[in-house]
Amino acid sequence: MSVLFTIFWIAVAVVAAMALGWLFRWAAVAASRGEARRALKTAPLAASFGMLVILIYVVVALFAPLIAPYAEREVVGAQFLPWDATHPLGTDNLGRDMLSRLVYGARNTVGIAFATTALAFFAGSFLGLLAAAVGGWLDQVLSRLVDILMAIPALIFSLLLLTIFGTSIVTLVLVIATIDATRVFRLARSVAQNIVVMDYIEAARLRGEGLIRLIFREILPNALAPLVAEFGLRFCFVFLAISALSFLGVGIQPPTADWGSMVRENATLITFGDVTPLLPAGAIALLTVAVNFVVDWQLHRASGLKE
Amino acid sequence: MSESSAKPVLLTMQDIHIDGRSGDTWSPIIKGVDLTLHRGEVIGLIGESGAGKSTLGLAAMGFTRDGCRISGGMIDFDGIDLLAIPERERRALRGKRIAYVAQSAAASFNPAHKLIDQYCEGPVQHGVMPREKAEADAVELYRRMRLPNPEEIGFRYPHQVSGGQLQRAMTAMAMSCRPDLIIFDEPTTALDVTTQIEVLSAIRDIVAQFDTAAIYITHDLAVVAQMADRIKVLLRGDEVEESDTRSMLAAPKEDYTKSLWAVRSYARPVQPPVTTGVPVVSVQNVTAGYGAADVLKNIGFDIHARRTVAVVGESGSGKSTTARVITGLLPPRQGRILFDGQPLPPDYRQRSRDQLRQAQMIYQMADTALNPKLRLRELIGRPAEMYLGLKGKALTERIRDLLALIELEPEKYIDRLPSELSGGQKQRIGIARALAAEPKFIICDEVTSALDQLVAEGILKLLDRLQSEFNLAYMFITHDLATVKAIADEVVVMQNGRVVEQGPKEEMFQPPHDPYTELLLSSVPEMDPDWLTRLLADRAARRAGQG
């Protein structure tokens, strides 16, 4: 019976997600016009649902002080209080309101992950495209440098760097961005290498185009589809990497609310069959799935695939 | 028709309808075509690209490409209803009783396996013969296909064998189970004329020896005239007409068929050769190459304003390398390029913007020569913006003028992407992009070889008109001598990186020739069903005479 029950609830969740996606798409189409409207009309339900989830996360992150019932670091009661009317999700190991910390966690974890991914992307793809477009010694120097960085296991390397430079948020962002930029570099370079041999690049070179225009007008638009797909994946990896580092204690430092460390702090409750400590993990999972739904859809559009 | 109709019918296709999917809707590709094929008979399917030749050919195996479906009609292969039996049984027929030879053997062979392994796969899988017997059989067929070293060639990998040999190896492979029917899908389109002859004669002989029926798909009328007993002309999924080869060639009934025939007769008026004045481009004693090898060995020729110089030769003869030297992509080891009497810097990076502007290039594959993410406005507008400093309204005006010049309606096309154009239209955009720079000299690198004859003719006429309008000098790289006849003033024949013969067109097409020019000229298929037979007999006689 319990298996059937689980299947039933999964079905309900999927239907509810689709319904939400459908409603969101309807609202978004009504609210937009022009190119965006046409694009939204053809968006699959999964992508609409993903956009809705991302929108909710963004709103929550932006208006955290207004939404959260208590302050981020305020001790409001006893430790590990159960769910009730005053504390909808109970309290954590120090007696702070769990819901409030989840809300503030969105701001910290998502914000930092986004900044890190954007930085990694900007640096990685620019250098990758540059290496492919220029070739020769520049390509050799950059590629070997990236090889060296990639030869060291990512988690151990970031632990090492964070131990050396200290665990401020700025160093955290820079360290993870550097490590992830190497992966983006490799992808951007290999995609661009297939593009720079095309006749239209030769035509542009013979026309006398400068390097910057060559990269941004001729190569980048054609490399966008795989890079967009990579952005979605990379965002999830960065997100997980930050949470993992926080779980290990070198990421975002307490008392700042962060989903990764929240799981660790409250892990004891799992042994008592309480799902509360898994909620931050669930929040991470939901966002990664949502991001990938949207990225899949964008990838589809960018690559011009019909099926 | 005479002899073949006496033989039993092998394949009957009745009222075939095939749909292709675009987005969510199905649109018809084949609209009710009938086809009857007797044992041992060869039928030629001709038409432009998009006519549905390949789709119909594949349907003869009960097969459609992804995104297509057979929506109506009946296919009867030797008493078997191909559309009624399950896929498993159809698969058992394919390769065993019906075989397929693809256009590009180089792309169709698996590069990871030796030729003979791929040959044996069919007979062994279908249980026709054991592996040892299949291997012996392969050698026999390789010999019959006149492949060099038939005992050893099977143990090579596809990349170790030339294109013409691969195409013959593929035909041998299709023959491995002694099928009743073979479908040839443009088997010689990707080959040089001289190689094409060998493949054509080998295919023709082996089909006759085993009394195999064949469907021969091509867009080249002269080729189909050599191969087929009957010809069926297709246009946009409909049959135009069908009759036996000789009467079709002698007296085509339909206007469309006549128009296909007429293309071959286009030629521009003869212009007197220019010997005085400074040539626009002068290639002087150029030697160039990649790595250690020299691809070009001391070549030289001049191109004058308002004249078209055709550079002809097989693939690997150095035609395209010559273009790369002139554009500065490949600096020569020796020799130099003069432009209006002034030497050009050997590397394009050292050339001034004005020097780059003066010499433009039109590429063979418009698909890869136009950035697929840019709209026509930017594709054509960029050279005008860059070289002539046009902006805003003046630039838009110029783009409109250019589109009008290449006979595309400006309003309709200015904001399209290249993917929203047909092949011929894309090539026109390539021309417009070259013209936008207002050059004196344009290199046309096989600009018509990827196009259908009717479309190609339109492009040639356009280039011709633009030449007299803007005083352009053309260097026309091609392997197609029909194109040379149509457009060239002077001809440069290249072989293995050397110029073997050059001069005005009228002289080149008159004997006496250099032996290589002779070989090239005689290899161009003619619209005469006896041409191949006669040519082979001629060559055999000459060889016997020499020996």
Side-chain angles (χ1 to χ4, degrees):
Chain A
M1 277 316 281
S2 73
V3 175
L4 283 179
F5 208 62
T6 315
I7 292 172
F8 171 75
W9 279 112
I10 289 174
V12 168
V14 169
V15 170
M18 283 172 67
L20 282 173
W22 188 84
L23 274 175
F24 177 73
R25 187 170 66 188
W26 178 77
V29 167
S32 60
R33 59 170 64 89
E35 184 87 14
R37 184 180 193 144
R38 228 173 314 138
L40 282 168
K41 262 188 179 166
T42 57
L45 284 180
S48 318
F49 175 68
M51 282 188 284
L52 175 66
V53 170
I54 292 171
L55 186 69
I56 292 173
Y57 274 65
V58 169
V59 168
V60 167
L62 285 180
F63 300 104
L66 299 177
I67 295 168
Y70 301 92
E72 182 184 2
R73 300 164 188 186
E74 186 187 356
V75 177
V76 291
Q79 299 170 2
F80 298 133
L81 283 179
W83 297 11
D84 62 24
T86 43
H87 304 294
L89 297 178
T91 57
D92 72 355
N93 62 331
L94 297 178
R96 294 171 295 197
D97 183 57
M98 195 68 188
L99 177 64
S100 303
R101 291 197 53 86
L102 260 182
V103 169
Y104 277 101
R107 175 178 266 193
N108 300 325
T109 319
V110 177
I112 291 170
F114 185 79
T116 310
T117 319
L119 194 60
F121 247 79
F122 186 74
S125 37
F126 179 72
L127 291 176
L129 297 180
L130 187 71
V134 175
W137 63 267
L138 182 73
D139 185 24
Q140 285 299 322
V141 169
L142 284 173
S143 299
R144 296 301 81 78
L145 202 68
V146 162
D147 285 350
I148 293 169
L149 289 181
M150 286 186 78
I152 309 164
L155 188 62
I156 294 177
F157 193 38
S158 43
L159 282 173
L160 179 80
L161 288 179
L162 285 170
T163 322
I164 296 172
F165 295 115
T167 48
S168 76
I169 288 187
V170 176
T171 29
L172 183 73
V173 168
L174 287 179
V175 164
I176 299 184
T178 309
I179 292 172
D180 277 75
T182 58
R183 274 76 174 168
V184 180
F185 171 89
R186 298 247 309 176
L187 177 81
R189 176 174 170 273
S190 68
V191 170
Q193 273 183 327
N194 287 329
I195 297 170
V196 293
V197 297
M198 301 298 255
D199 287 343
Y200 57 83
I201 301 296
E202 188 184 299
R205 286 186 203 268
L206 284 178
R207 196 157 63 224
E209 298 282 10
L211 194 59
I212 294 299
R213 191 183 154 95
L214 199 65
I215 290 176
F216 286 106
R217 265 332 270 156
E218 305 282 345
I219 302 178
L220 184 62
N222 292 289
L224 215 50
L227 287 179
V228 165
E230 177 70 6
F231 187 90
L233 274 179
R234 203 42 63 192
F235 179 72
C236 300
F237 285 147
V238 166
F239 206 88
L240 295 174
I242 291 176
S243 297
L245 288 173
S246 302
F247 183 86
L248 292 173
V250 292
I252 300 167
Q253 294 301 305
T256 312
D258 158 73
W259 292 341
S261 28
M262 282 168 72
V263 177
R264 183 188 53 161
E265 287 159 3
N266 302 302
T268 352
L269 277 184
I270 300 173
T271 41
F272 298 102
D274 191 333
V275 296
T276 313
L278 295 180
L279 288 176
I284 297 171
L286 185 61
L287 182 61
T288 44
V289 170
V291 167
N292 274 295
F293 276 156
V294 176
V295 164
D296 276 354
W297 171 52
Q298 284 302 323
L299 177 65
H300 212 80
R301 274 163 43 84
S303 63
L305 293 173
K306 292 281 181 261
E307 297 308 312
Chain B
M1 200 123 210
S2 48
E3 12 157 12
S4 47
S5 52
K7 292 186 182 166
V9 171
L10 178 69
L11 175 77
T12 318
M13 296 169 84
Q14 268 176 12
D15 197 26
I16 298 295
H17 288 265
I18 299 174
D19 296 343
R21 186 170 53 193
S22 53
D24 297 326
T25 54
W26 293 88
S27 49
I29 298 177
I30 301 287
K31 307 159 187 164
V33 174
D34 298 331
L35 189 148
T36 309
L37 190 62
H38 300 89
R39 279 190 181 275
E41 185 186 31
V42 178
I43 186 165
L45 292 182
I46 60 171
E48 298 169 48
S49 50
K53 308 177 299 260
S54 297
T55 311
L56 188 65
L58 288 169
M61 301 194 286
F63 180 84
T64 56
R65 294 214 169 99
D66 274 352
C68 295
R69 64 171 183 199
I70 301 178
S71 57
M74 192 273 294
I75 303 171
D76 179 288
F77 174 76
D78 203 16
I80 307 164
D81 185 348
L82 281 188
L83 297 182
I85 59 175
E87 179 63 24
R88 186 172 41 80
E89 287 175 39
R90 275 200 293 269
R91 234 175 39 218
L93 283 177
R94 291 179 196 146
K96 188 178 179 186
R97 298 197 58 198
I98 311 176
Y100 177 74
V101 176
Q103 171 171 0
S104 169
S108 304
F109 271 108
N110 185 334
H113 297 287
K114 290 174 185 155
L115 293 180
I116 202 155
D117 292 338
Q118 302 189 49
Y119 179 98
C120 294
E121 200 182 340
V124 173
Q125 282 291 315
H126 286 294
V128 177
M129 52 180 100
R131 167 90 195 191
E132 303 75 50
K133 199 152 168 279
E135 275 186 25
D137 189 57
V139 172
E140 170 61 21
L141 276 180
Y142 289 154
R143 181 172 294 120
R144 290 203 192 198
M145 290 302 291
R146 292 182 224 115
L147 283 165
N149 299 327
E151 286 85 8
E152 288 149 39
I153 198 163
F155 295 93
R156 298 203 199 156
Y157 287 94
H159 69 269
Q160 297 171 313
V161 177
S162 77
Q165 291 170 359
L166 266 188
Q167 202 71 52
R168 278 181 277 167
M170 188 161 207
T171 308
M173 195 165 120
M175 279 288 174
S176 61
C177 296
R178 304 292 183 273
D180 299 305
L181 170 63
I182 299 192
I183 294 146
F184 293 97
D185 192 352
E186 308 239 16
T188 61
T189 307
L191 304 176
D192 288 318
V193 276
T194 44
T195 325
Q196 171 169 280
I197 300 251
E198 295 161 21
V199 178
L200 286 182
S201 64
I203 288 179
R204 203 171 65 164
D205 291 351
I206 205 158
V207 167
Q209 278 169 19
F210 292 112
D211 200 25
T212 314
I215 296 177
Y216 197 98
I217 299 164
T218 179
H219 65 269
D220 190 332
L221 294 161
V223 165
V224 86
Q226 314 308 316
M227 307 301 287
D229 302 315
R230 270 187 303 142
I231 296 180
K232 186 193 276 292
V233 184
L234 295 178
L235 174 65
R236 290 186 222 107
D238 266 324
E239 177 178 327
V240 177
E241 65 176 306
E242 179 187 328
S243 72
D244 71 293
T245 304
R246 277 168 203 282
S247 51
M248 173 84 84
L249 288 174
K253 287 195 228 41
E254 300 293 325
D255 285 344
Y256 176 70
T257 320
K258 282 180 195 153
S259 76
L260 283 177
W261 267 229
V263 173
R264 296 246 148 198
S265 51
Y266 172 72
R268 73 179 206 166
V270 178
Q271 306 190 29
V274 186
T275 43
T276 55
V278 182
V280 176
V281 172
S282 176
V283 179
Q284 298 189 334
N285 311 319
V286 164
T287 300
Y290 309 95
D294 283 344
V295 180
L296 298 179
K297 294 152 196 156
N298 198 21
I299 63 160
F301 55 87
D302 292 344
I303 304 171
H304 288 268
R306 257 191 129 151
R307 286 293 177 279
T308 302
V309 172
V311 179
V312 292
E314 297 177 42
S315 46
S317 60
K319 299 173 303 208
S320 294
T321 310
T322 311
R324 291 177 70 83
V325 170
I326 296 177
T327 54
L329 283 168
L330 181 71
R333 289 203 184 124
Q334 284 163 31
R336 55 182 190 163
I337 310 291
L338 298 186
F339 198 93
D340 274 345
Q342 300 298 315
L344 277 179
D347 190 322
Y348 74 94
R349 277 167 285 216
Q350 295 152 3
R351 292 183 186 175
S352 71
R353 199 166 257 207
D354 203 51
Q355 285 170 327
L356 291 172
R357 177 181 71 80
Q358 297 280 12
Q360 291 291 316
M361 180 143 176
I362 305 170
Y363 292 83
Q364 172 176 12
M365 305 297 294
D367 281 324
T368 61
L370 303 178
N371 188 335
K373 300 287 178 189
L374 299 185
R375 299 190 180 275
L376 301 194
R377 181 190 290 279
E378 190 172 350
L379 280 171
I380 304 178
R382 180 63 190 163
E385 183 190 354
M386 230 180 121
Y387 294 130
L388 311 174
L390 296 179
K391 282 201 179 65
K393 244 186 165 168
L395 181 62
T396 310
E397 210 43 51
R398 177 76 181 136
I399 298 168
R400 281 169 196 280
D401 289 349
L402 285 164
L403 280 170
L405 261 183
I406 53 165
E407 294 151 21
L408 295 179
E409 296 157 54
E411 294 310 319
K412 201 166 150 196
Y413 289 97
I414 193 161
D415 282 317
R416 288 209 188 178
L417 289 169
S419 55
E420 295 161 333
L421 300 177
S422 72
Q425 287 172 338
K426 279 183 211 165
Q427 199 54 281
R428 281 167 191 262
I429 298 303
I431 296 173
R433 181 172 65 180
L435 282 180
E438 301 188 353
K440 280 182 137 177
F441 169 62
I442 298 181
I443 299 175
C444 307
D445 188 356
E446 304 263 15
V447 287
T448 55
S449 57
L451 302 172
D452 289 319
Q453 285 178 35
L454 281 173
V455 181
E457 193 200 29
I459 298 282
L460 292 183
K461 280 184 177 159
L462 174 66
L463 284 171
D464 209 3
R465 203 192 80 214
L466 295 171
Q467 179 168 50
S468 36
E469 220 163 297
F470 299 103
N471 256 337
L472 297 165
Y474 289 146
M475 174 173 139
F476 211 97
I477 298 172
T478 183
H479 65 265
D480 179 16
L481 288 158
T483 312
V484 175
K485 269 184 187 154
I487 199 165
D489 298 309
E490 284 162 54
V491 184
V492 174
V493 183
M494 291 188 69
Q495 184 192 19
N496 299 331
R498 291 178 200 283
V499 174
V500 294
E501 202 173 359
Q502 58 179 310
K505 174 173 68 172
E506 314 83 75
E507 282 176 28
M508 299 300 293
F509 286 101
Q510 301 294 330
H513 302 298
D514 172 270
Y516 179 72
T517 314
E518 168 73 38
L519 176 71
L520 269 186
L521 284 175
S522 69
S523 299
V524 179
E526 285 168 23
M527 299 277 278
D528 169 1
D530 300 320
W531 167 78
L532 182 60
T533 319
R534 215 171 46 229
L535 176 79
L536 293 173
D538 266 9
R539 286 191 183 172
R542 199 166 312 159
R543 223 169 292 132
Q546 281 167 3

